PDB file of all heavy atoms in Angstrom:
ATOM      1  N   PRO A  65    -119.005 -48.482  17.158  1.00 48.00           N
ATOM      2  CA  PRO A  65    -118.325 -49.645  17.752  1.00 48.00           C
ATOM      3  C   PRO A  65    -118.797 -49.624  19.236  1.00 48.00           C
ATOM      4  O   PRO A  65    -118.724 -48.613  19.920  1.00 48.00           O
ATOM      5  CB  PRO A  65    -116.810 -49.322  17.654  1.00 48.00           C
ATOM      6  CG  PRO A  65    -116.728 -47.958  17.283  1.00 48.00           C
ATOM      7  CD  PRO A  65    -117.952 -47.502  16.635  1.00 48.00           C
ATOM      8  N   PRO A  66    -119.242 -50.780  19.864  1.00 48.00           N
ATOM      9  CA  PRO A  66    -119.580 -50.816  21.216  1.00 48.00           C
ATOM     10  C   PRO A  66    -118.386 -50.596  22.136  1.00 48.00           C
ATOM     11  O   PRO A  66    -117.237 -51.057  22.040  1.00 48.00           O
ATOM     12  CB  PRO A  66    -120.092 -52.318  21.394  1.00 48.00           C
ATOM     13  CG  PRO A  66    -119.422 -53.068  20.288  1.00 48.00           C
ATOM     14  CD  PRO A  66    -119.250 -51.964  19.134  1.00 48.00           C
ATOM     15  N   ARG A  67    -118.656 -49.788  23.128  1.00 46.00           N
ATOM     16  CA  ARG A  67    -117.683 -49.405  24.232  1.00 46.00           C
ATOM     17  C   ARG A  67    -116.304 -49.083  23.667  1.00 46.00           C
ATOM     18  O   ARG A  67    -115.282 -49.428  24.181  1.00 46.00           O
ATOM     19  CB  ARG A  67    -117.514 -50.709  25.127  1.00 46.00           C
ATOM     20  CG  ARG A  67    -118.714 -50.879  25.970  1.00 46.00           C
ATOM     21  CD  ARG A  67    -118.575 -52.166  26.880  1.00 46.00           C
ATOM     22  NE  ARG A  67    -118.650 -53.322  26.070  1.00 46.00           N
ATOM     23  CZ  ARG A  67    -117.957 -54.461  26.365  1.00 46.00           C
ATOM     24  NH1 ARG A  67    -117.195 -54.494  27.478  1.00 46.00           N
ATOM     25  NH2 ARG A  67    -117.963 -55.421  25.595  1.00 46.00           N
ATOM     26  N   THR A  68    -116.298 -48.309  22.557  1.00 40.00           N
ATOM     27  CA  THR A  68    -115.019 -47.929  21.924  1.00 40.00           C
ATOM     28  C   THR A  68    -114.697 -46.414  22.328  1.00 40.00           C
ATOM     29  O   THR A  68    -115.669 -45.657  22.333  1.00 40.00           O
ATOM     30  CB  THR A  68    -115.088 -47.974  20.393  1.00 40.00           C
ATOM     31  OG1 THR A  68    -115.402 -49.313  19.987  1.00 40.00           O
ATOM     32  CG2 THR A  68    -113.899 -47.379  19.735  1.00 40.00           C
ATOM     33  N   SER A  69    -113.449 -46.143  22.685  1.00 40.00           N
ATOM     34  CA  SER A  69    -113.040 -44.812  22.898  1.00 40.00           C
ATOM     35  C   SER A  69    -112.707 -44.138  21.595  1.00 40.00           C
ATOM     36  O   SER A  69    -111.754 -44.618  20.821  1.00 40.00           O
ATOM     37  CB  SER A  69    -111.798 -44.795  23.744  1.00 40.00           C
ATOM     38  OG  SER A  69    -111.204 -43.614  23.735  1.00 40.00           O
ATOM     39  N   ARG A  70    -113.416 -43.150  21.135  1.00 37.00           N
ATOM     40  CA  ARG A  70    -113.157 -42.587  19.880  1.00 37.00           C
ATOM     41  C   ARG A  70    -111.834 -41.799  19.807  1.00 37.00           C
ATOM     42  O   ARG A  70    -111.065 -41.785  18.807  1.00 37.00           O
ATOM     43  CB  ARG A  70    -114.247 -41.579  19.492  1.00 37.00           C
ATOM     44  CG  ARG A  70    -115.590 -42.206  19.211  1.00 37.00           C
ATOM     45  CD  ARG A  70    -116.629 -41.294  18.765  1.00 37.00           C
ATOM     46  NE  ARG A  70    -117.922 -41.919  18.513  1.00 37.00           N
ATOM     47  CZ  ARG A  70    -118.186 -42.649  17.384  1.00 37.00           C
ATOM     48  NH1 ARG A  70    -117.299 -42.783  16.526  1.00 37.00           N
ATOM     49  NH2 ARG A  70    -119.421 -43.212  17.316  1.00 37.00           N
ATOM     50  N   SER A  71    -111.333 -41.259  20.975  1.00 36.00           N
ATOM     51  CA  SER A  71    -110.055 -40.644  21.070  1.00 36.00           C
ATOM     52  C   SER A  71    -108.964 -41.614  20.970  1.00 36.00           C
ATOM     53  O   SER A  71    -107.948 -41.377  20.304  1.00 36.00           O
ATOM     54  CB  SER A  71    -109.909 -39.970  22.434  1.00 36.00           C
ATOM     55  OG  SER A  71    -110.020 -40.827  23.503  1.00 36.00           O
ATOM     56  N   ALA A  72    -109.176 -42.874  21.417  1.00 38.00           N
ATOM     57  CA  ALA A  72    -108.214 -43.865  21.229  1.00 38.00           C
ATOM     58  C   ALA A  72    -108.103 -44.425  19.816  1.00 38.00           C
ATOM     59  O   ALA A  72    -107.022 -44.617  19.235  1.00 38.00           O
ATOM     60  CB  ALA A  72    -108.582 -45.164  22.087  1.00 38.00           C
ATOM     61  N   THR A  73    -109.280 -44.518  19.079  1.00 36.00           N
ATOM     62  CA  THR A  73    -109.361 -44.838  17.753  1.00 36.00           C
ATOM     63  C   THR A  73    -108.566 -43.788  16.877  1.00 36.00           C
ATOM     64  O   THR A  73    -107.781 -44.079  16.000  1.00 36.00           O
ATOM     65  CB  THR A  73    -110.802 -44.814  17.258  1.00 36.00           C
ATOM     66  OG1 THR A  73    -111.492 -45.757  17.982  1.00 36.00           O
ATOM     67  CG2 THR A  73    -110.834 -45.219  15.747  1.00 36.00           C
ATOM     68  N   ARG A  74    -108.700 -42.474  17.167  1.00 33.00           N
ATOM     69  CA  ARG A  74    -108.065 -41.493  16.425  1.00 33.00           C
ATOM     70  C   ARG A  74    -106.518 -41.559  16.654  1.00 33.00           C
ATOM     71  O   ARG A  74    -105.811 -41.409  15.718  1.00 33.00           O
ATOM     72  CB  ARG A  74    -108.608 -40.079  16.816  1.00 33.00           C
ATOM     73  CG  ARG A  74    -109.917 -39.820  16.289  1.00 33.00           C
ATOM     74  CD  ARG A  74    -110.183 -38.262  16.332  1.00 33.00           C
ATOM     75  NE  ARG A  74    -110.304 -37.862  17.734  1.00 33.00           N
ATOM     76  CZ  ARG A  74    -111.423 -37.765  18.486  1.00 33.00           C
ATOM     77  NH1 ARG A  74    -112.516 -38.248  17.991  1.00 33.00           N
ATOM     78  NH2 ARG A  74    -111.353 -37.356  19.695  1.00 33.00           N
ATOM     79  N   SER A  75    -106.154 -41.779  17.968  1.00 36.00           N
ATOM     80  CA  SER A  75    -104.716 -41.835  18.213  1.00 36.00           C
ATOM     81  C   SER A  75    -104.126 -42.967  17.488  1.00 36.00           C
ATOM     82  O   SER A  75    -102.912 -43.061  17.115  1.00 36.00           O
ATOM     83  CB  SER A  75    -104.388 -41.904  19.715  1.00 36.00           C
ATOM     84  OG  SER A  75    -104.921 -43.041  20.364  1.00 36.00           O
ATOM     85  N   ASN A  76    -104.759 -44.210  17.498  1.00 40.00           N
ATOM     86  CA  ASN A  76    -104.278 -45.351  16.897  1.00 40.00           C
ATOM     87  C   ASN A  76    -104.068 -45.129  15.413  1.00 40.00           C
ATOM     88  O   ASN A  76    -103.195 -45.537  14.781  1.00 40.00           O
ATOM     89  CB  ASN A  76    -105.271 -46.479  17.107  1.00 40.00           C
ATOM     90  CG  ASN A  76    -105.142 -47.107  18.530  1.00 40.00           C
ATOM     91  OD1 ASN A  76    -104.155 -46.957  19.163  1.00 40.00           O
ATOM     92  ND2 ASN A  76    -106.177 -47.672  19.037  1.00 40.00           N
ATOM     93  N   SER A  77    -105.130 -44.544  14.765  1.00 36.00           N
ATOM     94  CA  SER A  77    -105.095 -44.228  13.289  1.00 36.00           C
ATOM     95  C   SER A  77    -103.926 -43.233  12.963  1.00 36.00           C
ATOM     96  O   SER A  77    -103.266 -43.431  11.952  1.00 36.00           O
ATOM     97  CB  SER A  77    -106.385 -43.670  12.811  1.00 36.00           C
ATOM     98  OG  SER A  77    -107.436 -44.600  13.095  1.00 36.00           O
ATOM     99  N   ALA A  78    -103.674 -42.358  13.925  1.00 34.00           N
ATOM    100  CA  ALA A  78    -102.690 -41.390  13.576  1.00 34.00           C
ATOM    101  C   ALA A  78    -101.243 -41.880  13.843  1.00 34.00           C
ATOM    102  O   ALA A  78    -100.260 -41.404  13.374  1.00 34.00           O
ATOM    103  CB  ALA A  78    -102.844 -40.040  14.449  1.00 34.00           C
ATOM    104  N   ALA A  79    -101.170 -42.984  14.632  1.00 36.00           N
ATOM    105  CA  ALA A  79     -99.864 -43.493  15.049  1.00 36.00           C
ATOM    106  C   ALA A  79     -98.966 -43.865  13.950  1.00 36.00           C
ATOM    107  O   ALA A  79     -97.742 -43.602  13.965  1.00 36.00           O
ATOM    108  CB  ALA A  79     -99.994 -44.682  15.979  1.00 36.00           C
ATOM    109  N   VAL A  80     -99.505 -44.431  12.833  1.00 36.00           N
ATOM    110  CA  VAL A  80     -98.705 -44.944  11.718  1.00 36.00           C
ATOM    111  C   VAL A  80     -98.127 -43.745  10.931  1.00 36.00           C
ATOM    112  O   VAL A  80     -97.198 -44.028  10.105  1.00 36.00           O
ATOM    113  CB  VAL A  80     -99.497 -45.847  10.816  1.00 36.00           C
ATOM    114  CG1 VAL A  80     -99.845 -47.162  11.530  1.00 36.00           C
ATOM    115  CG2 VAL A  80    -100.689 -45.168  10.170  1.00 36.00           C
ATOM    116  N   THR A  81     -98.662 -42.569  11.080  1.00 33.00           N
ATOM    117  CA  THR A  81     -98.189 -41.482  10.278  1.00 33.00           C
ATOM    118  C   THR A  81     -97.167 -40.638  10.998  1.00 33.00           C
ATOM    119  O   THR A  81     -96.614 -39.724  10.496  1.00 33.00           O
ATOM    120  CB  THR A  81     -99.353 -40.550   9.828  1.00 33.00           C
ATOM    121  OG1 THR A  81     -99.933 -39.952  10.932  1.00 33.00           O
ATOM    122  CG2 THR A  81    -100.361 -41.349   9.044  1.00 33.00           C
ATOM    123  N   ARG A  82     -96.866 -40.991  12.234  1.00 37.00           N
ATOM    124  CA  ARG A  82     -96.015 -40.154  13.124  1.00 37.00           C
ATOM    125  C   ARG A  82     -94.606 -40.084  12.509  1.00 37.00           C
ATOM    126  O   ARG A  82     -94.208 -41.171  11.998  1.00 37.00           O
ATOM    127  CB  ARG A  82     -96.007 -40.604  14.564  1.00 37.00           C
ATOM    128  CG  ARG A  82     -95.420 -41.978  14.780  1.00 37.00           C
ATOM    129  CD  ARG A  82     -95.779 -42.396  16.234  1.00 37.00           C
ATOM    130  NE  ARG A  82     -95.187 -43.710  16.404  1.00 37.00           N
ATOM    131  CZ  ARG A  82     -95.268 -44.381  17.505  1.00 37.00           C
ATOM    132  NH1 ARG A  82     -96.043 -43.882  18.485  1.00 37.00           N
ATOM    133  NH2 ARG A  82     -94.801 -45.604  17.640  1.00 37.00           N
ATOM    134  N   SER A  83     -93.847 -39.012  12.584  1.00 34.00           N
ATOM    135  CA  SER A  83     -92.589 -39.005  12.043  1.00 34.00           C
ATOM    136  C   SER A  83     -91.567 -39.694  12.879  1.00 34.00           C
ATOM    137  O   SER A  83     -91.664 -39.693  14.075  1.00 34.00           O
ATOM    138  CB  SER A  83     -92.230 -37.461  12.005  1.00 34.00           C
ATOM    139  OG  SER A  83     -90.757 -37.307  11.711  1.00 34.00           O
ATOM    140  N   PRO A  84     -90.603 -40.340  12.269  1.00 34.00           N
ATOM    141  CA  PRO A  84     -89.527 -40.969  13.077  1.00 34.00           C
ATOM    142  C   PRO A  84     -88.814 -40.003  13.998  1.00 34.00           C
ATOM    143  O   PRO A  84     -88.080 -40.454  14.851  1.00 34.00           O
ATOM    144  CB  PRO A  84     -88.607 -41.617  12.005  1.00 34.00           C
ATOM    145  CG  PRO A  84     -89.431 -41.714  10.799  1.00 34.00           C
ATOM    146  CD  PRO A  84     -90.387 -40.524  10.843  1.00 34.00           C
ATOM    147  N   SER A  85     -88.842 -38.815  13.794  1.00 32.00           N
ATOM    148  CA  SER A  85     -88.276 -37.790  14.625  1.00 32.00           C
ATOM    149  C   SER A  85     -88.977 -37.516  15.967  1.00 32.00           C
ATOM    150  O   SER A  85     -88.540 -36.853  16.806  1.00 32.00           O
ATOM    151  CB  SER A  85     -88.090 -36.449  13.824  1.00 32.00           C
ATOM    152  OG  SER A  85     -89.247 -35.913  13.580  1.00 32.00           O
ATOM    153  N   VAL A  86     -90.202 -38.042  15.958  1.00 32.00           N
ATOM    154  CA  VAL A  86     -91.055 -37.866  17.149  1.00 32.00           C
ATOM    155  C   VAL A  86     -91.122 -39.014  18.047  1.00 32.00           C
ATOM    156  O   VAL A  86     -91.277 -40.204  17.566  1.00 32.00           O
ATOM    157  CB  VAL A  86     -92.585 -37.508  16.670  1.00 32.00           C
ATOM    158  CG1 VAL A  86     -93.465 -37.309  17.959  1.00 32.00           C
ATOM    159  CG2 VAL A  86     -92.564 -36.239  15.694  1.00 32.00           C
ATOM    160  N   SER A  87     -90.944 -38.906  19.305  1.00 33.00           N
ATOM    161  CA  SER A  87     -90.880 -39.979  20.293  1.00 33.00           C
ATOM    162  C   SER A  87     -92.294 -40.579  20.321  1.00 33.00           C
ATOM    163  O   SER A  87     -93.331 -39.852  20.341  1.00 33.00           O
ATOM    164  CB  SER A  87     -90.373 -39.525  21.614  1.00 33.00           C
ATOM    165  OG  SER A  87     -89.078 -38.978  21.532  1.00 33.00           O
ATOM    166  N   PRO A  88     -92.340 -41.888  20.508  1.00 35.00           N
ATOM    167  CA  PRO A  88     -93.600 -42.508  20.682  1.00 35.00           C
ATOM    168  C   PRO A  88     -94.302 -42.242  22.078  1.00 35.00           C
ATOM    169  O   PRO A  88     -93.514 -41.791  23.010  1.00 35.00           O
ATOM    170  CB  PRO A  88     -93.276 -44.018  20.609  1.00 35.00           C
ATOM    171  CG  PRO A  88     -91.920 -44.171  21.049  1.00 35.00           C
ATOM    172  CD  PRO A  88     -91.200 -42.915  20.612  1.00 35.00           C
ATOM    173  N   THR A  89     -95.580 -42.313  22.132  1.00 34.00           N
ATOM    174  CA  THR A  89     -96.301 -41.913  23.372  1.00 34.00           C
ATOM    175  C   THR A  89     -96.965 -43.203  23.930  1.00 34.00           C
ATOM    176  O   THR A  89     -97.331 -44.089  23.147  1.00 34.00           O
ATOM    177  CB  THR A  89     -97.240 -40.895  23.229  1.00 34.00           C
ATOM    178  OG1 THR A  89     -98.275 -41.258  22.305  1.00 34.00           O
ATOM    179  CG2 THR A  89     -96.640 -39.599  22.663  1.00 34.00           C
ATOM    180  N   ALA A  90     -97.298 -43.291  25.215  1.00 34.00           N
ATOM    181  CA  ALA A  90     -97.991 -44.408  25.629  1.00 34.00           C
ATOM    182  C   ALA A  90     -99.366 -44.654  25.110  1.00 34.00           C
ATOM    183  O   ALA A  90     -99.828 -45.745  24.932  1.00 34.00           O
ATOM    184  CB  ALA A  90     -98.032 -44.229  27.185  1.00 34.00           C
ATOM    185  N   SER A  91    -100.051 -43.530  24.684  1.00 34.00           N
ATOM    186  CA  SER A  91    -101.392 -43.607  24.199  1.00 34.00           C
ATOM    187  C   SER A  91    -101.315 -44.300  22.872  1.00 34.00           C
ATOM    188  O   SER A  91    -102.379 -44.865  22.455  1.00 34.00           O
ATOM    189  CB  SER A  91    -101.933 -42.266  24.045  1.00 34.00           C
ATOM    190  OG  SER A  91    -101.251 -41.449  23.235  1.00 34.00           O
ATOM    191  N   THR A  92    -100.332 -44.276  22.096  1.00 37.00           N
ATOM    192  CA  THR A  92    -100.322 -44.849  20.753  1.00 37.00           C
ATOM    193  C   THR A  92     -99.747 -46.240  20.727  1.00 37.00           C
ATOM    194  O   THR A  92    -100.283 -47.163  20.185  1.00 37.00           O
ATOM    195  CB  THR A  92     -99.504 -43.980  19.702  1.00 37.00           C
ATOM    196  OG1 THR A  92     -98.280 -43.741  20.241  1.00 37.00           O
ATOM    197  CG2 THR A  92    -100.255 -42.612  19.533  1.00 37.00           C
ATOM    198  N   ALA A  93     -98.497 -46.362  21.358  1.00 38.00           N
ATOM    199  CA  ALA A  93     -97.804 -47.629  21.247  1.00 38.00           C
ATOM    200  C   ALA A  93     -98.324 -48.705  22.278  1.00 38.00           C
ATOM    201  O   ALA A  93     -98.251 -49.848  22.034  1.00 38.00           O
ATOM    202  CB  ALA A  93     -96.393 -47.436  21.373  1.00 38.00           C
ATOM    203  N   SER A  94     -98.714 -48.285  23.507  1.00 39.00           N
ATOM    204  CA  SER A  94     -99.073 -49.248  24.435  1.00 39.00           C
ATOM    205  C   SER A  94    -100.631 -49.715  24.286  1.00 39.00           C
ATOM    206  O   SER A  94    -101.002 -50.680  24.949  1.00 39.00           O
ATOM    207  CB  SER A  94     -99.006 -48.630  25.841  1.00 39.00           C
ATOM    208  OG  SER A  94     -99.828 -47.583  26.110  1.00 39.00           O
ATOM    209  N   ASN A  95    -101.332 -48.999  23.365  1.00 45.00           N
ATOM    210  CA  ASN A  95    -102.659 -49.466  22.938  1.00 45.00           C
ATOM    211  C   ASN A  95    -102.738 -49.750  21.498  1.00 45.00           C
ATOM    212  O   ASN A  95    -103.472 -48.889  20.857  1.00 45.00           O
ATOM    213  CB  ASN A  95    -103.622 -48.322  23.491  1.00 45.00           C
ATOM    214  CG  ASN A  95    -103.604 -48.300  25.113  1.00 45.00           C
ATOM    215  OD1 ASN A  95    -103.930 -49.124  25.797  1.00 45.00           O
ATOM    216  ND2 ASN A  95    -103.217 -47.073  25.484  1.00 45.00           N
TER     217      ASN A  95
END
């Protein structure tokens, strides 16, 4: 992907699997 942050891609993909017991982070929910 052009100009894509691979770390952002990984954090976005992981975001949907996070446990409801874990607080959201700016890197996942704000992006």
